[in-house]
Amino acid sequence: GVFDRAAGDAVGWFDETLIRNQDYELNIRLRLAGGQVWFDPELSVGYRPRGTWQALARQYYEYGWWKAEVLQRYPGSLRARQAGAASALPVGVVGAAFVLRRRSLRIAGLAALVVAAVGATKAPRSVGALAVVAVSQLSWSAGFLARTIRGGEADQLVPTSPR
């Protein structure tokens, strides 16, 4: 991000007690102070993805955990898309339980898996992208729910070892 020096000095810069979500929390404080946060889709940012599924899952688990921490500090900052992401895991579990209890839905679910498997052989990139979305959303939801349910202090989560 690019920040106005005077605005950052006025609200204080990054809260180093947060392992993740420091930028989002700073944006909240800037907005509360009457400032504006701009997003410019023309800007380009380089990103190196995690090398393993486990590393991706841990990354997003931590993102969810620390989002819940920020929401504890600033409850009014919750957005609909974040509430939707937080519900991914419980909705998935309830949905899976419902599908498994209904024979007609089991058949439809099996058919969907066959179609997805066939599609995977034809378009591995799109299936890979779908897997990334699934892992990241479910992990984010798990972290968010774990932090919300456990409560307590932010330091209950052991910080990630260096990448």
Side-chain angles (χ1 to χ4, degrees):
V2 177
F3 298 92
D4 177 76
R5 177 74 185 229
D9 287 344
V11 300
W13 289 95
F14 295 107
D15 180 347
E16 294 182 16
T17 66
L18 298 171
I19 303 299
R20 301 274 182 269
N21 246 3
Q22 292 177 347
D23 55 344
Y24 189 80
E25 191 272 343
L26 173 58
N27 291 344
I28 292 169
R29 288 186 285 116
L30 288 167
R31 286 189 199 104
L32 289 173
Q36 289 185 323
V37 177
W38 293 85
F39 171 73
D40 184 349
E42 296 296 316
L43 295 177
S44 175
V45 177
Y47 177 77
R48 232 176 314 168
R50 299 297 186 260
T52 66
W53 291 107
Q54 182 180 5
L56 178 69
R58 178 160 177 99
Q59 173 189 7
Y60 276 86
Y61 180 91
E62 290 179 6
Y63 285 168
W65 176 282
W66 290 100
K67 175 61 73 179
E69 171 65 25
V70 170
L71 287 174
Q72 183 178 5
R73 298 177 188 192
Y74 303 96
S77 69
L78 182 65
R79 302 290 179 254
R81 65 183 167 77
Q82 296 161 342
S87 68
L89 185 61
V91 167
V93 168
V94 169
F98 183 73
V99 164
L100 292 174
R101 295 190 67 146
R102 306 268 189 230
R103 181 181 173 158
S104 60
L105 292 177
R106 283 195 304 263
I107 293 168
L110 180 60
L113 285 175
V114 168
V115 168
V118 170
T121 64
K122 303 291 184 197
R125 280 194 174 170
S126 61
V127 172
L130 182 61
V132 167
V133 170
V135 168
S136 61
Q137 289 298 302
L138 293 173
S139 299
W140 192 98
S141 180
F144 184 89
L145 293 171
R147 172 68 180 92
T148 301
I149 291 167
R150 283 176 56 178
E153 296 301 315
D155 62 1
Q156 290 178 338
L157 180 69
V158 177
T160 302
S161 58
R163 294 183 190 129

